[in-house]
Amino acid sequence: MPGRYDIHPEMDPIIKASAALPPANTVAEMRKNWEVYAAANMTQWPDGLEVQDTTMPSVDGTPVGVRVYRPKGLAACAPCVIYIHGGGFMKGSPQSSDTTGWGLAMDCRAVCVSVDYRLAPEHKHPTAFEDCYGVLCHIAQNGAALGIDAGRIAVAGDSAGGNLAAAIALAARDMGGPGLRGQALIYPCLTDDLSAPSFAYNVAPPGLTTQSMGNYWGWYLGEGVVSDDPYATPLKAQNLANLPPAIILTAEYDPLYCDGVEYAARLRAASVPVTYHCAARLIHGFLRCRLTGQRSAAAFAAMTGFLRERFAI
């Protein structure tokens, strides 16, 4: 049965931004709305930050857009967070998640590379996965030239980006590298099986709904396609051993709540160190309120603190 939502007032900015959007019936309209929604709660880059838009190769050599954030005064051989934005696999960009990207760079005192992977439905799985894994491999292979310590790389992602971050961590293990210091998964979508209790309880809170999540999987995998590929649906991976330490953040009122809870439990069962944090009374997308809300800020600080520890800063 659908639940009752005692949503914390600090979610008001994103709830109001979403409510102000016009109806969207096409992919193009959904993408335009997403950028408008994101812009409503963004701020300009802080002083002391260098930002560059460039490209890095996908697995097959196709150029992939990336936005590189580098705090001024950072060591020549700095740690790196590869950040993968959300948007249901079919919308979003480094620009729409800019506040998270520069926040990771500044708070972790690291280079943050935000990946502008190709989007569904034009590009179904495994394109986005290959774009993100290609960027990881490129950074690891060219660390010195990029001013990055190839021995101190972590991956982070929210929602669909959390899926892709988990997937490339699995691939790095399976393919013998690159080595990762950690993975930060923020309200990740990890399986196309929507039978977990949170999909019923949190069927239609503000933010993400269960129906929308089903639509996103259809665009990403193909309508009616069910996937057991762990690089598409990491929660279905049979073996989670020997993965990098993880922090997993979930929101209480989010259909994806159980995805994060179950992945954390399975990682622990596989002897992978896990830090888990549930943001009580918050909804999917709460990181967009990290500059204005105490609970969102605390969750973001937990993530960046975890990453700093993994980088031994």
Side-chain angles (χ1 to χ4, degrees), residues 119-145:
L119 300 173
E122 299 92 333
H123 302 284
K124 292 180 173 57
H125 178 74
T127 302
F129 160 77
E130 291 178 344
D131 287 353
C132 296
Y133 189 64
V135 167
L136 167 60
C137 292
H138 176 79
I139 291 170
Q141 293 164 6
N142 297 276

Side-chain angles (χ1 to χ4, degrees), residues 198-260:
S198 60
F199 288 103
Y201 186 88
N202 292 319
V203 66
L208 181 69
T209 67
T210 296
Q211 181 178 349
S212 293
M213 196 63 243
N215 293 338
Y216 293 144
W217 280 115
W219 283 316
Y220 185 54
L221 299 176
E223 191 64 35
V225 174
V226 175
S227 179
D228 291 326
D229 178 355
Y231 305 151
T233 53
L235 193 53
K236 294 184 181 181
Q238 294 185 3
N239 178 15
L240 296 183
N242 301 314
L243 287 170
I247 183 169
I248 298 178
L249 308 180
T250 61
E252 181 177 5
Y253 300 131
D254 183 354
L256 298 176
Y257 170 81
C258 285
D259 281 29

Side-chain angles (χ1 to χ4, degrees), residues 217-312:
W217 280 115
W219 283 316
Y220 185 54
L221 299 176
E223 191 64 35
V225 174
V226 175
S227 179
D228 291 326
D229 178 355
Y231 305 151
T233 53
L235 193 53
K236 294 184 181 181
Q238 294 185 3
N239 178 15
L240 296 183
N242 301 314
L243 287 170
I247 183 169
I248 298 178
L249 308 180
T250 61
E252 181 177 5
Y253 300 131
D254 183 354
L256 298 176
Y257 170 81
C258 285
D259 281 29
V261 170
E262 186 173 350
Y263 204 64
R266 289 197 56 210
L267 286 169
R268 288 195 187 101
S271 299
V272 176
V274 178
T275 300
Y276 173 77
H277 177 87
C278 175
R281 299 178 63 197
L282 303 193
I283 64 172
H284 190 85
F286 66 75
L287 279 194
R288 296 188 182 278
C289 297
R290 72 174 184 84
L291 297 177
T292 57
Q294 291 184 348
R295 297 186 182 206
S296 304
F300 191 78
M303 175 176 61
T304 56
F306 166 85
L307 291 170
R308 286 196 307 271
E309 287 182 4
R310 296 306 305 156
F311 292 146

Side-chain angles (χ1 to χ4, degrees), residues 62-130:
T62 301
V64 178
V66 296
R67 176 168 288 181
V68 181
Y69 305 87
R70 189 180 190 99
K72 294 178 181 178
L74 205 59
C77 190
C80 175
V81 181
I82 298 173
Y83 169 62
I84 309 172
H85 68 79
F89 304 106
M90 51 75 66
K91 57 190 175 183
S93 64
Q95 177 59 31
S96 67
S97 291
D98 185 64
T99 301
T100 300
W102 67 251
L104 285 167
M106 296 298 286
D107 288 12
C108 293
R109 296 301 298 169
V111 176
C112 177
V113 178
S114 183
V115 186
D116 195 12
Y117 56 89
R118 287 171 285 178
L119 300 173
E122 299 92 333
H123 302 284
K124 292 180 173 57
H125 178 74
T127 302
F129 160 77
E130 291 178 344

